[in-house]
Amino acid sequence: ASDSNTNRMAQFQEVMRQQLESSMYADLEKLLSTAKGAEAEVSKKDFEGFRKLFHRFLQVKGPSVEWSKINRPPEDSIQPYDKIKAKGLPDNIADSLNKLVVVKLNGGLGTSMGCKGPKSLISVRNENTFLDLTVQQIEHLNKTYNADVPLVLMNSFNTNDDTKKILQKYRHHRVKIHTFNQSRYPRINKESLLPVAKDMAMTGENADVWYPPGHGDIYASFYNSGLLEQLIAEGKEYIFVSNIDNLGATVDLYILNHLVSQPNGKRCEFIMEVTDKTRADVKGGTLIQYDGKLRLLEIAQVPKAHVDEFKSVTKFKIFNTNNLWISLSAIKRLQEQNAMDMEIIVNPKTLDGGLNVIQLETAVGAAIKCFENALGINVPRSRFLPVKTTSDLLLVMSNLYSLEAGCLTMSERREFPTTPHVKLGSSFTKVQEYLTRFESIPDMLELDHLTVSGDVTFGKHVSLKGTVIIIANHGDRIDIPAGSMLENKIVSGNLRILDH
């Protein structure tokens, strides 16, 4: 009897799923009918991708990994960077560079740092924005090696207009810049599992009912844009993909040479740069062996009982930097075979009016298991320098780094290669306010740890060394005088300076 009950239950669930799916499709058709002209064509392609994602979302039962089937990656599947570097470089570097395209993920807004508009337009160093630095890096490569590496920006509907306006200023630089837009998907009402949007408009009450679906969307939207075909026709073979806010993600000639110089039958189609975990990176995705394939394991996929194990630095020693090298022809093949299989990330949000919604997303690195001969390369920490907060911004604006041809490198005057641990409090969260609190960026060459909390300002030419903790109590203000040198100090409430 229990078998027949189980069957009946399964049949009932299947019917419910089908009904939900047909309601969703009907709603999507209604939405499409409100689109005009060229927008209708683009939205139709976007919605095809969304349908596939929604269909899979309804099919998925339970966690996407079985913990007991997780194995450590085989020794040779994650190579140390030094081994790749030891191969040296060929005489004709330009030949390799001419097969490369640099792709930057440029869909994000600067909201977490209190900025309006694309994050890539925030000034990070000597008035240079993330985008300026990227263009300078690639232009330097093209000039040095007489090469033609183009830059491709994957924008979202949030960043496209502002980014395109700015691109005018690079017209005379030696870099070809292309853009394409990632898809626009409808946010789903958490209760009804149907779209919140009433029509295709993106303003007024429809302003927050759409979302760009995570960077895993790069494969479909790049392919749909026609740009993928165009670059293959121009003789390009690989893309180097990274987040535009990762200032360490520069073109590495040794990794590129490794890709280009492999035997045809064993061509590696996908390289993920990983680096050693520190306590700050315990949530980063890691590489595992699963069902005989290299696979990215994200914290969202880990069963609750195993989250601490996932975060441990002993079992999972590395994490994904999201610097990826991928074969263009392989992307084309997998798109045409509909064989891109990425785990769905269900991201819950609450809209301003209090409505609970979900958005379905995928991560670009999750596709690693679909590519042939995928490889991890354990790169130095310097290739992972993301600027997510003003604490990160303080590091890259300081004298810890020197800037040359758009690249930031750790100053030779710093005695140890690790970056200091910086925690700035809520008074520093927004870039505009953060900037008013420093008359000049302190000297941080000998700093290990800095914590600042409350209403604190820094005068000119302050020097910080060792461990410095500055805490202004509620209602108090601490002004660190110009020219101060704080070494292993705790500065509290009423500006008592104590030895740490």
Side-chain angles (χ1 to χ4, degrees):
S2 67
D3 279 358
S4 65
N5 279 347
T6 310
N7 282 344
R8 272 207 298 276
M9 194 62 193
Q11 284 169 343
F12 173 70
Q13 284 172 335
E14 186 51 40
V15 169
M16 291 299 289
R17 251 203 309 273
Q18 286 171 1
Q19 282 178 354
L20 197 52
E21 208 160 347
S22 56
S23 301
M24 171 61 86
Y25 292 176
D27 276 18
L28 293 177
E29 287 305 321
K30 265 188 227 152
L31 284 172
L32 274 178
S33 69
T34 69
K36 296 175 181 64
E39 184 196 38
E41 269 313 292
V42 174
S43 301
K44 201 172 160 189
K45 276 186 177 166
D46 285 356
F47 281 8
E48 275 168 27
F50 177 76
R51 276 195 186 112
K52 283 179 194 163
L53 203 57
F54 187 72
H55 175 77
R56 282 180 41 224
F57 163 68
L58 292 180
Q59 300 295 331
V60 170
K61 301 178 194 68
S64 55
V65 291
E66 286 178 45
W67 198 254
S68 58
K69 288 168 67 175
I70 289 177
N71 293 305
R72 281 188 182 199
E75 279 303 302
D76 59 346
S77 65
I78 299 180
Q79 301 267 346
Y81 176 75
D82 290 346
K83 188 175 170 188
I84 302 292
K85 195 173 177 179
K87 288 170 78 171
L89 291 175
D91 298 335
N92 52 351
I93 289 171
D95 289 0
S96 301
L97 281 169
N98 287 335
K99 294 174 179 169
L100 183 69
V101 178
V102 173
V103 180
K104 292 286 182 183
L105 303 172
N106 185 45
L109 293 168
T111 42
S112 64
M113 291 164 78
C115 294
K116 288 185 165 63
K119 185 169 182 185
S120 55
L121 306 185
I122 294 175
S123 287
V124 279
R125 180 84 188 211
N126 312 354
E127 304 299 304
N128 287 302
T129 65
F130 290 105
L131 192 52
D132 292 336
L133 295 175
T134 301
V135 171
Q136 287 167 27
Q137 287 163 21
I138 301 174
E139 181 174 49
H140 178 69
L141 270 181
N142 286 340
K143 283 181 170 170
T144 306
Y145 298 104
N146 193 19
D148 175 25
V149 178
L151 169 64
V152 172
L153 299 172
M154 178 166 91
N155 297 335
S156 66
F157 59 82
N158 289 320
T159 61
N160 189 46
D161 293 350
D162 289 344
T163 301
K164 280 192 160 164
K165 280 185 202 132
I166 289 286
L167 292 184
Q168 297 300 323
K169 81 179 211 192
Y170 307 116
R171 269 201 314 247
H172 304 298
H173 288 251
R174 191 169 159 180
V175 183
K176 285 189 194 131
I177 304 179
H178 306 277
T179 64
F180 69 93
N181 261 9
Q182 65 185 113
S183 310
R184 164 160 76 116
Y185 283 2
R187 284 182 165 148
I188 303 169
N189 182 319
K190 195 177 175 184
E191 297 303 315
S192 67
L193 291 186
L194 292 172
V196 183
K198 298 289 174 268
D199 57 47
M200 295 301 291
M202 289 170 64
T203 49
E205 59 184 40
N206 252 2
D208 58 359
V209 298
W210 304 100
Y211 72 99
H215 40 55
D217 180 56
I218 183 171
Y219 305 109
S221 50
F222 197 10
Y223 179 81
N224 289 341
S225 71
L227 189 54
L228 183 88
E229 279 294 352
Q230 181 190 324
L231 292 166
I232 290 174
E234 289 172 14
K236 306 299 180 193
E237 291 180 19
Y238 290 95
I239 52 174
F240 171 49
V241 182
S242 62
N243 299 352
I244 195 141
D245 64 9
N246 178 6
L247 294 175
T250 55
V251 170
D252 186 280
L253 297 175
Y254 296 101
I255 296 178
L256 176 63
N257 180 48
H258 178 75
L259 277 169
V260 173
S261 63
Q262 293 169 94
N264 257 343
K266 282 289 282 179
R267 273 274 161 106
C268 169
E269 295 182 341
F270 194 109
I271 283 178
M272 176 181 286
E273 293 185 33
V274 296
T275 194
D276 292 341
K277 262 189 191 181
T278 66
R279 298 254 170 259
D281 317 302
V282 291
K283 290 181 177 174
T286 192
L287 281 179
I288 56 170
Q289 182 83 351
Y290 194 90
D291 289 343
K293 287 270 195 182
L294 259 195
R295 182 160 162 179
L296 178 66
L297 177 68
E298 298 275 11
I299 193 161
Q301 296 162 263
V302 177
K304 284 210 169 44
H306 295 282
V307 166
D308 287 345
E309 198 179 332
F310 175 81
K311 287 180 174 179
S312 92
V313 183
T314 44
K315 180 162 184 177
F316 300 106
K317 292 184 165 63
I318 49 142
F319 74 99
N320 167 26
T321 62
N322 224 34
N323 300 349
L324 308 168
W325 303 74
I326 313 171
S327 154
L328 282 165
S329 57
I331 296 175
K332 182 178 179 216
R333 179 189 78 233
L334 290 165
Q335 277 302 125
E336 287 172 353
Q337 293 171 354
N338 195 16
M340 259 325 160
D341 172 29
M342 290 168 281
E343 289 72 37
I344 296 174
I345 301 160
V346 180
N347 191 352
K349 299 260 178 192
T350 304
L351 302 187
D352 286 346
L355 182 69
N356 289 326
V357 295
I358 55 173
Q359 47 193 54
L360 305 180
E361 303 177 4
T362 53
V364 57
I368 186 168
K369 60 177 191 235
C370 309
F371 290 84
E372 297 297 316
N373 304 316
L375 182 68
I377 295 182
N378 192 344
V379 296
R381 179 74 186 197
S382 56
R383 293 195 52 75
F384 185 66
L385 187 57
V387 180
K388 301 289 182 199
T389 61
T390 49
S391 304
D392 300 331
L393 194 55
L394 182 62
L395 291 172
V396 299
M397 289 176 96
S398 76
N399 60 344
L400 286 164
Y401 291 95
S402 44
L403 178 67
E404 196 180 335
C407 296
L408 287 179
T409 46
M410 179 73 75
S411 166
E412 287 173 1
R413 288 166 41 227
R414 182 162 172 86
E415 287 185 9
F416 27 89
T418 54
T419 46
H421 197 60
V422 172
K423 287 196 289 199
L424 300 179
S426 55
S427 309
F428 291 80
T429 305
K430 295 186 170 168
V431 173
Q432 289 336 100
E433 192 175 0
Y434 152 90
L435 289 171
T436 62
R437 291 182 174 278
F438 292 97
E439 276 192 59
S440 68
I441 301 295
D443 169 348
M444 291 163 51
L445 276 176
E446 294 176 46
L447 181 69
D448 299 321
H449 180 112
L450 172 68
T451 295
V452 183
S453 172
D455 186 359
V456 178
T457 62
F458 292 79
K460 280 199 164 120
H461 311 306
V462 171
S463 168
L464 305 171
K465 300 181 180 186
T467 295
V468 177
I469 298 167
I470 306 169
I471 297 174
N473 299 332
H474 189 67
D476 287 342
R477 169 170 166 168
I478 295 179
D479 297 310
I480 304 295
S484 307
M485 196 278 276
L486 299 177
E487 181 168 8
N488 295 328
K489 296 289 186 223
I490 298 172
V491 182
S492 70
N494 47 10
L495 225 174
R496 282 179 313 163
I497 296 185
L498 311 170
D499 283 335
H500 172 67

